Amino acid sequence: AEFQLPLRFGDTVRIVMETLKVGAHSLTNQYHLFHEEREELCAQLRIVTVSISMDRVESVTVPDDVRQAFERHLANGSA
């Protein structure tokens, strides 16, 4: 996470999500948090989510339906 401006308890934010990468076993998403009233960028977060088997607790291939859903949000130029 990178924080640009402070957020205070009770502030309302608008979150813009984009997918940076859809891999074989994981997804990388970036979130931009904007202060709703001032429209100022307050923070950017990058989160990697791994697809796992809950039975074996190991990574598995991202299911096709999940892959397709996140590919619709790929950032320009991302692969």
Side-chain angles (χ1 to χ4, degrees), residues 24-69:
H25 299 268
S26 66
L27 309 164
T28 303
N29 293 302
Q30 184 159 302
Y31 301 85
H32 305 273
L33 282 67
F34 295 89
H35 190 280
E36 189 171 62
E37 291 176 12
R38 298 189 311 264
E39 277 300 313
E40 295 174 313
L41 179 65
C42 296
Q44 297 181 78
L45 299 92
R46 187 172 293 185
I47 299 174
V48 178
T49 304
V50 177
S51 180
I52 66 165
S53 162
M54 295 298 287
D55 296 329
R56 299 185 316 262
V57 191
E58 62 186 24
S59 67
V60 296
T61 304
V62 174
D64 287 337
D65 60 330
V66 174
R67 172 182 300 285
Q68 291 169 4

